[in-house]
Amino acid sequence: MTTEESSQTGKVIEIDDLSLTFETSDGPVYALSDINLSIEQGDFVSLIGPSGCGKTTLLRVIADLEAATKGTISVNGVTPEQARMQRAYGYVFQAAALYPWRTIAKNVALPLEIMGIGSAERKRRVQQNLELVNLGGFEKKYPWQLSGGMQQRASIARALAVEPDLLLMDEPFGALDEIVRDHLNEQLLSLWAKTNKTVVFVTHSIPEAVYLSSRIVVMSPRPGKIHDVIESHLPKQRSLDIRETPEFLALANRVRDGLRAGHSYDEPEL
């Protein structure tokens, strides 16, 4: 599929019969098996499943940080490698990964420096995206002067600075306490509504997946397979209070049931 065709169909990511096997000294490790998934422009898709099910591996394949051993994948109508070279996505890691010797502004500007963006444009993008994540006024601070949640917001601003249509997020709030995590969930949802970015988000949290997503992809244990794809019809504008509604709880129960059903191995008898 060409980039033009992808744009016309609204598909940002198209994955067909994708599998990935790692060859190790102890034999092959089957990480992903027969993955089929389409992600549309403006989707917020969460990948959820037990540890080791391949959520992060799938995200890394989309980002061209791992290569599939079978099947096909396109990102904006081109290969993941071409999408990476075109800087078609921003990637937010589990840790903020900010350089401690650079100010927050200079950390956000780093990919722009690498891209050769001029000084005035760098400054504009840095300011715009720090304001977008509510970090205006912290430009001259260093990472060690910010809380963990603020550091993660800075890493999101850095990912947005390259102006991607696609944002890939690998459990960015997993190490934060529940209060900070709830606050950042609200901010991320607001950011998604403002920018209409396509987001692929890895999480272990059922409430987080249901609260944030337009679609939830439930994965089963290794080799990672897609057990269920759940459409959310919750309103795009939503507060944390929605987590107490029958509609939210019904979605959360379906995700929980999918996670249980996806454990296809037999539990040992006690």
Side-chain angles (χ1 to χ4, degrees):
M1 182 184 294
T2 67
T3 304
E4 183 178 354
E5 288 171 336
S6 177
S7 175
Q8 288 172 351
T9 61
K11 287 181 171 42
V12 174
I13 298 170
E14 187 75 22
I15 302 172
D16 295 306
D17 296 324
L18 184 144
S19 298
L20 191 155
T21 302
F22 293 110
E23 297 296 339
T24 72
S25 58
D26 296 327
V29 174
Y30 302 102
L32 298 170
S33 177
D34 300 324
I35 301 291
N36 290 280
L37 182 65
S38 292
I39 296 177
E40 306 281 333
Q41 171 62 43
D43 269 351
F44 195 121
V45 174
S46 284
L47 307 177
I48 188 168
S51 294
C53 75
K55 304 182 298 297
T56 293
T57 300
L58 180 55
L59 197 74
R60 288 173 63 83
V61 171
I62 295 170
D64 192 43
L65 300 176
E66 303 286 356
T69 50
K70 175 179 171 287
T72 61
I73 174 171
S74 67
V75 180
N76 287 337
V78 299
T79 67
E81 180 183 14
Q82 290 170 313
R84 176 174 56 80
M85 297 300 290
Q86 295 169 6
R87 294 182 173 86
Y89 64 82
Y91 200 108
V92 182
F93 294 90
Q94 293 180 22
L98 303 173
Y99 288 112
W101 58 87
R102 293 178 71 104
T103 64
I104 295 304
K106 288 185 177 179
N107 267 286
V108 174
L110 181 58
L112 305 180
E113 293 174 17
I114 295 170
M115 292 165 63
I117 302 295
S119 176
E121 177 63 11
R122 285 204 310 268
K123 185 175 180 180
R124 183 193 71 79
R125 291 197 197 184
V126 167
Q127 192 62 43
Q128 178 187 55
N129 286 291
L130 284 176
E131 294 287 348
L132 201 57
V133 299
N134 294 321
L135 282 179
F138 290 89
E139 296 85 354
K140 296 182 181 180
K141 300 294 186 184
Y142 288 87
W144 55 270
Q145 295 176 300
L146 273 59
S147 68
M150 294 171 79
Q151 290 182 34
Q152 277 299 68
R153 280 152 57 193
S155 73
I156 293 171
R158 180 179 57 193
L160 292 172
V162 301
E163 299 187 342
D165 292 326
L166 173 63
L167 196 58
L168 306 177
M169 309 185 77
D170 185 10
E171 279 197 276
F173 311 138
L176 303 175
D177 67 67
E178 187 174 358
I179 294 173
V180 174
R181 188 171 186 154
D182 282 351
H183 178 58
L184 291 181
N185 279 179
E186 286 185 299
Q187 289 195 319
L188 179 57
L189 203 60
S190 175
L191 179 69
W192 176 53
K194 287 177 185 175
T195 63
N196 200 38
K197 302 287 186 190
T198 305
V199 182
V200 185
F201 186 94
V202 170
T203 181
H204 279 100
S205 168
I206 294 174
E208 183 170 67
V210 175
Y211 176 67
L212 290 173
S213 308
S214 59
R215 284 196 297 154
I216 304 153
V217 176
V218 181
M219 296 183 67
S220 61
R222 194 172 65 220
K225 296 183 177 182
I226 293 177
H227 176 76
D228 197 5
V229 178
I230 301 169
E231 300 280 345
S232 171
H233 299 291
L234 298 176
K236 194 166 186 175
Q237 301 284 347
R238 39 187 111 144
S239 69
L240 289 171
D241 292 340
I242 203 170
R243 297 184 300 186
E244 308 301 323
T245 64
E247 295 81 4
F248 185 98
L249 295 174
L251 279 172
N253 284 334
R254 181 172 167 186
V255 175
R256 188 172 292 107
D257 289 345
L259 291 171
R260 288 173 180 158
H263 281 69
S264 57
Y265 54 81
D266 295 326
E267 295 283 2
E269 294 184 6
L270 299 176

PDB file of all heavy atoms in Angstrom, residues 231-263:
ATOM      1  N   GLU A 231     -13.830  -2.428  21.213  1.00  0.00           N
ATOM      2  CA  GLU A 231     -14.153  -1.052  20.852  1.00  0.00           C
ATOM      3  C   GLU A 231     -14.754  -0.346  22.068  1.00  0.00           C
ATOM      4  O   GLU A 231     -15.615  -0.888  22.753  1.00  0.00           O
ATOM      5  CB  GLU A 231     -15.164  -1.020  19.703  1.00  0.00           C
ATOM      6  CG  GLU A 231     -14.693  -1.688  18.425  1.00  0.00           C
ATOM      7  CD  GLU A 231     -13.766  -0.794  17.614  1.00  0.00           C
ATOM      8  OE1 GLU A 231     -13.724   0.428  17.887  1.00  0.00           O
ATOM      9  OE2 GLU A 231     -13.099  -1.330  16.705  1.00  0.00           O
ATOM     10  N   SER A 232     -14.295   0.867  22.325  1.00  0.00           N
ATOM     11  CA  SER A 232     -14.859   1.674  23.406  1.00  0.00           C
ATOM     12  C   SER A 232     -15.764   2.739  22.816  1.00  0.00           C
ATOM     13  O   SER A 232     -15.388   3.430  21.867  1.00  0.00           O
ATOM     14  CB  SER A 232     -13.754   2.340  24.224  1.00  0.00           C
ATOM     15  OG  SER A 232     -14.312   3.275  25.134  1.00  0.00           O
ATOM     16  N   HIS A 233     -16.945   2.868  23.403  1.00  0.00           N
ATOM     17  CA  HIS A 233     -17.872   3.905  22.963  1.00  0.00           C
ATOM     18  C   HIS A 233     -18.042   4.981  24.035  1.00  0.00           C
ATOM     19  O   HIS A 233     -19.018   5.737  24.029  1.00  0.00           O
ATOM     20  CB  HIS A 233     -19.228   3.288  22.603  1.00  0.00           C
ATOM     21  CG  HIS A 233     -19.143   2.301  21.475  1.00  0.00           C
ATOM     22  ND1 HIS A 233     -18.863   2.677  20.178  1.00  0.00           N
ATOM     23  CD2 HIS A 233     -19.264   0.946  21.451  1.00  0.00           C
ATOM     24  CE1 HIS A 233     -18.833   1.608  19.395  1.00  0.00           C
ATOM     25  NE2 HIS A 233     -19.063   0.543  20.148  1.00  0.00           N
ATOM     26  N   LEU A 234     -17.056   5.044  24.949  1.00  0.00           N
ATOM     27  CA  LEU A 234     -17.060   6.124  25.928  1.00  0.00           C
ATOM     28  C   LEU A 234     -16.812   7.449  25.203  1.00  0.00           C
ATOM     29  O   LEU A 234     -16.119   7.486  24.195  1.00  0.00           O
ATOM     30  CB  LEU A 234     -15.969   5.893  26.973  1.00  0.00           C
ATOM     31  CG  LEU A 234     -16.093   4.628  27.834  1.00  0.00           C
ATOM     32  CD1 LEU A 234     -14.877   4.499  28.737  1.00  0.00           C
ATOM     33  CD2 LEU A 234     -17.372   4.645  28.651  1.00  0.00           C
ATOM     34  N   PRO A 235     -17.357   8.548  25.706  1.00  0.00           N
ATOM     35  CA  PRO A 235     -17.150   9.849  25.044  1.00  0.00           C
ATOM     36  C   PRO A 235     -15.664  10.222  25.048  1.00  0.00           C
ATOM     37  O   PRO A 235     -14.923   9.882  25.971  1.00  0.00           O
ATOM     38  CB  PRO A 235     -17.966  10.817  25.897  1.00  0.00           C
ATOM     39  CG  PRO A 235     -18.146  10.141  27.210  1.00  0.00           C
ATOM     40  CD  PRO A 235     -18.200   8.674  26.920  1.00  0.00           C
ATOM     41  N   LYS A 236     -15.219  10.915  23.999  1.00  0.00           N
ATOM     42  CA  LYS A 236     -13.812  11.283  23.894  1.00  0.00           C
ATOM     43  C   LYS A 236     -13.397  12.207  25.026  1.00  0.00           C
ATOM     44  O   LYS A 236     -12.289  12.114  25.538  1.00  0.00           O
ATOM     45  CB  LYS A 236     -13.548  11.943  22.529  1.00  0.00           C
ATOM     46  CG  LYS A 236     -12.071  12.049  22.188  1.00  0.00           C
ATOM     47  CD  LYS A 236     -11.841  12.369  20.720  1.00  0.00           C
ATOM     48  CE  LYS A 236     -10.366  12.332  20.368  1.00  0.00           C
ATOM     49  NZ  LYS A 236     -10.113  12.528  18.933  1.00  0.00           N
ATOM     50  N   GLN A 237     -14.284  13.108  25.421  1.00  0.00           N
ATOM     51  CA  GLN A 237     -14.038  13.962  26.576  1.00  0.00           C
ATOM     52  C   GLN A 237     -14.547  13.222  27.803  1.00  0.00           C
ATOM     53  O   GLN A 237     -15.741  13.015  27.949  1.00  0.00           O
ATOM     54  CB  GLN A 237     -14.764  15.306  26.410  1.00  0.00           C
ATOM     55  CG  GLN A 237     -14.354  16.099  25.186  1.00  0.00           C
ATOM     56  CD  GLN A 237     -13.001  16.771  25.349  1.00  0.00           C
ATOM     57  OE1 GLN A 237     -12.463  16.853  26.446  1.00  0.00           O
ATOM     58  NE2 GLN A 237     -12.430  17.246  24.248  1.00  0.00           N
ATOM     59  N   ARG A 238     -13.640  12.816  28.699  1.00  0.00           N
ATOM     60  CA  ARG A 238     -14.069  12.053  29.874  1.00  0.00           C
ATOM     61  C   ARG A 238     -13.227  12.416  31.086  1.00  0.00           C
ATOM     62  O   ARG A 238     -12.034  12.653  30.966  1.00  0.00           O
ATOM     63  CB  ARG A 238     -13.987  10.549  29.606  1.00  0.00           C
ATOM     64  CG  ARG A 238     -12.777  10.110  28.792  1.00  0.00           C
ATOM     65  CD  ARG A 238     -12.821   8.625  28.400  1.00  0.00           C
ATOM     66  NE  ARG A 238     -13.016   8.422  26.988  1.00  0.00           N
ATOM     67  CZ  ARG A 238     -12.458   7.440  26.270  1.00  0.00           C
ATOM     68  NH1 ARG A 238     -11.672   6.558  26.844  1.00  0.00           N
ATOM     69  NH2 ARG A 238     -12.708   7.331  24.986  1.00  0.00           N
ATOM     70  N   SER A 239     -13.861  12.490  32.234  1.00  0.00           N
ATOM     71  CA  SER A 239     -13.153  12.747  33.483  1.00  0.00           C
ATOM     72  C   SER A 239     -12.903  11.413  34.180  1.00  0.00           C
ATOM     73  O   SER A 239     -13.436  10.361  33.787  1.00  0.00           O
ATOM     74  CB  SER A 239     -13.982  13.667  34.381  1.00  0.00           C
ATOM     75  OG  SER A 239     -15.130  12.971  34.851  1.00  0.00           O
ATOM     76  N   LEU A 240     -12.117  11.451  35.253  1.00  0.00           N
ATOM     77  CA  LEU A 240     -11.829  10.226  35.993  1.00  0.00           C
ATOM     78  C   LEU A 240     -13.089   9.631  36.618  1.00  0.00           C
ATOM     79  O   LEU A 240     -13.140   8.425  36.893  1.00  0.00           O
ATOM     80  CB  LEU A 240     -10.786  10.502  37.081  1.00  0.00           C
ATOM     81  CG  LEU A 240      -9.360  10.759  36.578  1.00  0.00           C
ATOM     82  CD1 LEU A 240      -8.476  11.232  37.727  1.00  0.00           C
ATOM     83  CD2 LEU A 240      -8.762   9.521  35.930  1.00  0.00           C
ATOM     84  N   ASP A 241     -14.103  10.464  36.833  1.00  0.00           N
ATOM     85  CA  ASP A 241     -15.351   9.970  37.429  1.00  0.00           C
ATOM     86  C   ASP A 241     -16.025   8.919  36.562  1.00  0.00           C
ATOM     87  O   ASP A 241     -16.833   8.123  37.064  1.00  0.00           O
ATOM     88  CB  ASP A 241     -16.332  11.134  37.653  1.00  0.00           C
ATOM     89  CG  ASP A 241     -15.843  12.095  38.726  1.00  0.00           C
ATOM     90  OD1 ASP A 241     -14.991  11.680  39.540  1.00  0.00           O
ATOM     91  OD2 ASP A 241     -16.301  13.257  38.742  1.00  0.00           O
ATOM     92  N   ILE A 242     -15.691   8.893  35.274  1.00  0.00           N
ATOM     93  CA  ILE A 242     -16.333   7.928  34.377  1.00  0.00           C
ATOM     94  C   ILE A 242     -16.008   6.493  34.778  1.00  0.00           C
ATOM     95  O   ILE A 242     -16.717   5.551  34.408  1.00  0.00           O
ATOM     96  CB  ILE A 242     -15.919   8.195  32.908  1.00  0.00           C
ATOM     97  CG1 ILE A 242     -16.968   7.621  31.945  1.00  0.00           C
ATOM     98  CG2 ILE A 242     -14.527   7.637  32.613  1.00  0.00           C
ATOM     99  CD1 ILE A 242     -16.774   8.053  30.503  1.00  0.00           C
ATOM    100  N   ARG A 243     -14.939   6.325  35.573  1.00  0.00           N
ATOM    101  CA  ARG A 243     -14.536   4.977  35.987  1.00  0.00           C
ATOM    102  C   ARG A 243     -15.548   4.321  36.924  1.00  0.00           C
ATOM    103  O   ARG A 243     -15.465   3.121  37.171  1.00  0.00           O
ATOM    104  CB  ARG A 243     -13.153   5.033  36.655  1.00  0.00           C
ATOM    105  CG  ARG A 243     -12.062   5.508  35.715  1.00  0.00           C
ATOM    106  CD  ARG A 243     -10.680   5.464  36.332  1.00  0.00           C
ATOM    107  NE  ARG A 243     -10.573   6.298  37.508  1.00  0.00           N
ATOM    108  CZ  ARG A 243      -9.439   6.518  38.160  1.00  0.00           C
ATOM    109  NH1 ARG A 243      -8.316   5.963  37.745  1.00  0.00           N
ATOM    110  NH2 ARG A 243      -9.409   7.296  39.226  1.00  0.00           N
ATOM    111  N   GLU A 244     -16.485   5.110  37.441  1.00  0.00           N
ATOM    112  CA  GLU A 244     -17.520   4.559  38.321  1.00  0.00           C
ATOM    113  C   GLU A 244     -18.815   4.234  37.580  1.00  0.00           C
ATOM    114  O   GLU A 244     -19.764   3.744  38.187  1.00  0.00           O
ATOM    115  CB  GLU A 244     -17.822   5.556  39.451  1.00  0.00           C
ATOM    116  CG  GLU A 244     -16.600   6.038  40.217  1.00  0.00           C
ATOM    117  CD  GLU A 244     -15.838   4.891  40.869  1.00  0.00           C
ATOM    118  OE1 GLU A 244     -16.491   3.945  41.344  1.00  0.00           O
ATOM    119  OE2 GLU A 244     -14.590   4.942  40.892  1.00  0.00           O
ATOM    120  N   THR A 245     -18.861   4.479  36.275  1.00  0.00           N
ATOM    121  CA  THR A 245     -20.099   4.278  35.532  1.00  0.00           C
ATOM    122  C   THR A 245     -20.254   2.819  35.097  1.00  0.00           C
ATOM    123  O   THR A 245     -19.270   2.094  34.946  1.00  0.00           O
ATOM    124  CB  THR A 245     -20.136   5.173  34.277  1.00  0.00           C
ATOM    125  OG1 THR A 245     -19.077   4.767  33.387  1.00  0.00           O
ATOM    126  CG2 THR A 245     -19.955   6.640  34.652  1.00  0.00           C
ATOM    127  N   PRO A 246     -21.499   2.370  34.892  1.00  0.00           N
ATOM    128  CA  PRO A 246     -21.728   1.000  34.434  1.00  0.00           C
ATOM    129  C   PRO A 246     -21.041   0.700  33.097  1.00  0.00           C
ATOM    130  O   PRO A 246     -20.539  -0.406  32.895  1.00  0.00           O
ATOM    131  CB  PRO A 246     -23.254   0.919  34.290  1.00  0.00           C
ATOM    132  CG  PRO A 246     -23.785   1.969  35.205  1.00  0.00           C
ATOM    133  CD  PRO A 246     -22.767   3.067  35.180  1.00  0.00           C
ATOM    134  N   GLU A 247     -20.993   1.679  32.188  1.00  0.00           N
ATOM    135  CA  GLU A 247     -20.379   1.467  30.879  1.00  0.00           C
ATOM    136  C   GLU A 247     -18.880   1.184  31.022  1.00  0.00           C
ATOM    137  O   GLU A 247     -18.343   0.282  30.377  1.00  0.00           O
ATOM    138  CB  GLU A 247     -20.594   2.693  29.987  1.00  0.00           C
ATOM    139  CG  GLU A 247     -22.038   2.974  29.613  1.00  0.00           C
ATOM    140  CD  GLU A 247     -22.813   3.714  30.700  1.00  0.00           C
ATOM    141  OE1 GLU A 247     -22.209   4.087  31.734  1.00  0.00           O
ATOM    142  OE2 GLU A 247     -24.025   3.921  30.510  1.00  0.00           O
ATOM    143  N   PHE A 248     -18.220   1.959  31.880  1.00  0.00           N
ATOM    144  CA  PHE A 248     -16.785   1.764  32.112  1.00  0.00           C
ATOM    145  C   PHE A 248     -16.534   0.400  32.750  1.00  0.00           C
ATOM    146  O   PHE A 248     -15.638  -0.349  32.318  1.00  0.00           O
ATOM    147  CB  PHE A 248     -16.250   2.877  33.015  1.00  0.00           C
ATOM    148  CG  PHE A 248     -14.756   2.839  33.213  1.00  0.00           C
ATOM    149  CD1 PHE A 248     -13.925   3.651  32.452  1.00  0.00           C
ATOM    150  CD2 PHE A 248     -14.176   2.006  34.159  1.00  0.00           C
ATOM    151  CE1 PHE A 248     -12.546   3.625  32.623  1.00  0.00           C
ATOM    152  CE2 PHE A 248     -12.811   1.968  34.340  1.00  0.00           C
ATOM    153  CZ  PHE A 248     -11.989   2.781  33.574  1.00  0.00           C
ATOM    154  N   LEU A 249     -17.310   0.070  33.765  1.00  0.00           N
ATOM    155  CA  LEU A 249     -17.108  -1.195  34.480  1.00  0.00           C
ATOM    156  C   LEU A 249     -17.370  -2.395  33.570  1.00  0.00           C
ATOM    157  O   LEU A 249     -16.687  -3.421  33.673  1.00  0.00           O
ATOM    158  CB  LEU A 249     -18.014  -1.243  35.712  1.00  0.00           C
ATOM    159  CG  LEU A 249     -17.698  -0.187  36.789  1.00  0.00           C
ATOM    160  CD1 LEU A 249     -18.745  -0.217  37.894  1.00  0.00           C
ATOM    161  CD2 LEU A 249     -16.311  -0.407  37.364  1.00  0.00           C
ATOM    162  N   ALA A 250     -18.334  -2.253  32.661  1.00  0.00           N
ATOM    163  CA  ALA A 250     -18.609  -3.344  31.718  1.00  0.00           C
ATOM    164  C   ALA A 250     -17.418  -3.561  30.790  1.00  0.00           C
ATOM    165  O   ALA A 250     -17.027  -4.708  30.506  1.00  0.00           O
ATOM    166  CB  ALA A 250     -19.865  -3.033  30.908  1.00  0.00           C
ATOM    167  N   LEU A 251     -16.799  -2.460  30.310  1.00  0.00           N
ATOM    168  CA  LEU A 251     -15.609  -2.586  29.464  1.00  0.00           C
ATOM    169  C   LEU A 251     -14.455  -3.213  30.243  1.00  0.00           C
ATOM    170  O   LEU A 251     -13.753  -4.093  29.735  1.00  0.00           O
ATOM    171  CB  LEU A 251     -15.194  -1.207  28.944  1.00  0.00           C
ATOM    172  CG  LEU A 251     -15.942  -0.652  27.735  1.00  0.00           C
ATOM    173  CD1 LEU A 251     -15.532   0.800  27.496  1.00  0.00           C
ATOM    174  CD2 LEU A 251     -15.669  -1.482  26.488  1.00  0.00           C
ATOM    175  N   ALA A 252     -14.257  -2.762  31.486  1.00  0.00           N
ATOM    176  CA  ALA A 252     -13.175  -3.291  32.309  1.00  0.00           C
ATOM    177  C   ALA A 252     -13.364  -4.788  32.554  1.00  0.00           C
ATOM    178  O   ALA A 252     -12.402  -5.571  32.513  1.00  0.00           O
ATOM    179  CB  ALA A 252     -13.102  -2.540  33.632  1.00  0.00           C
ATOM    180  N   ASN A 253     -14.609  -5.203  32.777  1.00  0.00           N
ATOM    181  CA  ASN A 253     -14.876  -6.633  32.990  1.00  0.00           C
ATOM    182  C   ASN A 253     -14.599  -7.444  31.737  1.00  0.00           C
ATOM    183  O   ASN A 253     -14.088  -8.570  31.813  1.00  0.00           O
ATOM    184  CB  ASN A 253     -16.334  -6.832  33.437  1.00  0.00           C
ATOM    185  CG  ASN A 253     -16.553  -6.442  34.884  1.00  0.00           C
ATOM    186  OD1 ASN A 253     -15.623  -6.487  35.694  1.00  0.00           O
ATOM    187  ND2 ASN A 253     -17.767  -6.042  35.214  1.00  0.00           N
ATOM    188  N   ARG A 254     -14.910  -6.881  30.571  1.00  0.00           N
ATOM    189  CA  ARG A 254     -14.629  -7.608  29.328  1.00  0.00           C
ATOM    190  C   ARG A 254     -13.119  -7.763  29.124  1.00  0.00           C
ATOM    191  O   ARG A 254     -12.650  -8.822  28.696  1.00  0.00           O
ATOM    192  CB  ARG A 254     -15.256  -6.899  28.131  1.00  0.00           C
ATOM    193  CG  ARG A 254     -15.006  -7.654  26.830  1.00  0.00           C
ATOM    194  CD  ARG A 254     -15.762  -7.085  25.656  1.00  0.00           C
ATOM    195  NE  ARG A 254     -15.255  -7.639  24.401  1.00  0.00           N
ATOM    196  CZ  ARG A 254     -15.640  -7.241  23.198  1.00  0.00           C
ATOM    197  NH1 ARG A 254     -16.562  -6.296  23.078  1.00  0.00           N
ATOM    198  NH2 ARG A 254     -15.113  -7.785  22.109  1.00  0.00           N
ATOM    199  N   VAL A 255     -12.366  -6.703  29.439  1.00  0.00           N
ATOM    200  CA  VAL A 255     -10.905  -6.799  29.336  1.00  0.00           C
ATOM    201  C   VAL A 255     -10.386  -7.860  30.309  1.00  0.00           C
ATOM    202  O   VAL A 255      -9.559  -8.706  29.947  1.00  0.00           O
ATOM    203  CB  VAL A 255     -10.241  -5.441  29.629  1.00  0.00           C
ATOM    204  CG1 VAL A 255      -8.719  -5.584  29.651  1.00  0.00           C
ATOM    205  CG2 VAL A 255     -10.643  -4.416  28.580  1.00  0.00           C
ATOM    206  N   ARG A 256     -10.884  -7.823  31.550  1.00  0.00           N
ATOM    207  CA  ARG A 256     -10.441  -8.789  32.568  1.00  0.00           C
ATOM    208  C   ARG A 256     -10.776 -10.219  32.147  1.00  0.00           C
ATOM    209  O   ARG A 256      -9.948 -11.129  32.284  1.00  0.00           O
ATOM    210  CB  ARG A 256     -11.099  -8.450  33.902  1.00  0.00           C
ATOM    211  CG  ARG A 256     -10.572  -9.249  35.085  1.00  0.00           C
ATOM    212  CD  ARG A 256     -11.133  -8.733  36.393  1.00  0.00           C
ATOM    213  NE  ARG A 256     -10.621  -7.413  36.712  1.00  0.00           N
ATOM    214  CZ  ARG A 256     -11.333  -6.280  36.627  1.00  0.00           C
ATOM    215  NH1 ARG A 256     -12.599  -6.335  36.217  1.00  0.00           N
ATOM    216  NH2 ARG A 256     -10.799  -5.124  36.931  1.00  0.00           N
ATOM    217  N   ASP A 257     -11.971 -10.419  31.625  1.00  0.00           N
ATOM    218  CA  ASP A 257     -12.355 -11.753  31.154  1.00  0.00           C
ATOM    219  C   ASP A 257     -11.458 -12.203  30.005  1.00  0.00           C
ATOM    220  O   ASP A 257     -11.075 -13.376  29.921  1.00  0.00           O
ATOM    221  CB  ASP A 257     -13.820 -11.753  30.698  1.00  0.00           C
ATOM    222  CG  ASP A 257     -14.802 -11.623  31.863  1.00  0.00           C
ATOM    223  OD1 ASP A 257     -14.372 -11.823  33.022  1.00  0.00           O
ATOM    224  OD2 ASP A 257     -15.974 -11.303  31.612  1.00  0.00           O
ATOM    225  N   GLY A 258     -11.120 -11.273  29.111  1.00  0.00           N
ATOM    226  CA  GLY A 258     -10.237 -11.601  27.993  1.00  0.00           C
ATOM    227  C   GLY A 258      -8.852 -11.997  28.458  1.00  0.00           C
ATOM    228  O   GLY A 258      -8.237 -12.924  27.912  1.00  0.00           O
ATOM    229  N   LEU A 259      -8.343 -11.304  29.468  1.00  0.00           N
ATOM    230  CA  LEU A 259      -7.022 -11.638  29.998  1.00  0.00           C
ATOM    231  C   LEU A 259      -7.029 -13.030  30.631  1.00  0.00           C
ATOM    232  O   LEU A 259      -6.081 -13.800  30.472  1.00  0.00           O
ATOM    233  CB  LEU A 259      -6.589 -10.584  31.023  1.00  0.00           C
ATOM    234  CG  LEU A 259      -6.266  -9.203  30.461  1.00  0.00           C
ATOM    235  CD1 LEU A 259      -6.066  -8.190  31.588  1.00  0.00           C
ATOM    236  CD2 LEU A 259      -5.019  -9.256  29.580  1.00  0.00           C
ATOM    237  N   ARG A 260      -8.105 -13.353  31.336  1.00  0.00           N
ATOM    238  CA  ARG A 260      -8.208 -14.681  31.950  1.00  0.00           C
ATOM    239  C   ARG A 260      -8.326 -15.766  30.875  1.00  0.00           C
ATOM    240  O   ARG A 260      -7.655 -16.790  30.926  1.00  0.00           O
ATOM    241  CB  ARG A 260      -9.424 -14.738  32.879  1.00  0.00           C
ATOM    242  CG  ARG A 260      -9.266 -13.946  34.166  1.00  0.00           C
ATOM    243  CD  ARG A 260     -10.555 -13.918  34.935  1.00  0.00           C
ATOM    244  NE  ARG A 260     -10.439 -13.160  36.177  1.00  0.00           N
ATOM    245  CZ  ARG A 260     -11.458 -12.625  36.831  1.00  0.00           C
ATOM    246  NH1 ARG A 260     -12.699 -12.758  36.341  1.00  0.00           N
ATOM    247  NH2 ARG A 260     -11.268 -11.961  37.948  1.00  0.00           N
ATOM    248  N   ALA A 261      -9.185 -15.520  29.888  1.00  0.00           N
ATOM    249  CA  ALA A 261      -9.397 -16.518  28.839  1.00  0.00           C
ATOM    250  C   ALA A 261      -8.157 -16.704  27.985  1.00  0.00           C
ATOM    251  O   ALA A 261      -7.904 -17.789  27.449  1.00  0.00           O
ATOM    252  CB  ALA A 261     -10.577 -16.112  27.959  1.00  0.00           C
ATOM    253  N   GLY A 262      -7.363 -15.644  27.858  1.00  0.00           N
ATOM    254  CA  GLY A 262      -6.159 -15.714  27.036  1.00  0.00           C
ATOM    255  C   GLY A 262      -5.064 -16.572  27.623  1.00  0.00           C
ATOM    256  O   GLY A 262      -4.124 -16.955  26.927  1.00  0.00           O
ATOM    257  N   HIS A 263      -5.154 -16.874  28.932  1.00  0.00           N
ATOM    258  CA  HIS A 263      -4.165 -17.758  29.557  1.00  0.00           C
ATOM    259  C   HIS A 263      -4.520 -19.195  29.193  1.00  0.00           C
ATOM    260  O   HIS A 263      -5.239 -19.879  29.914  1.00  0.00           O
ATOM    261  CB  HIS A 263      -4.154 -17.576  31.076  1.00  0.00           C
ATOM    262  CG  HIS A 263      -3.399 -16.370  31.516  1.00  0.00           C
ATOM    263  ND1 HIS A 263      -3.850 -15.086  31.270  1.00  0.00           N
ATOM    264  CD2 HIS A 263      -2.221 -16.248  32.162  1.00  0.00           C
ATOM    265  CE1 HIS A 263      -2.976 -14.219  31.773  1.00  0.00           C
ATOM    266  NE2 HIS A 263      -1.982 -14.897  32.318  1.00  0.00           N
TER     267      HIS A 263
END
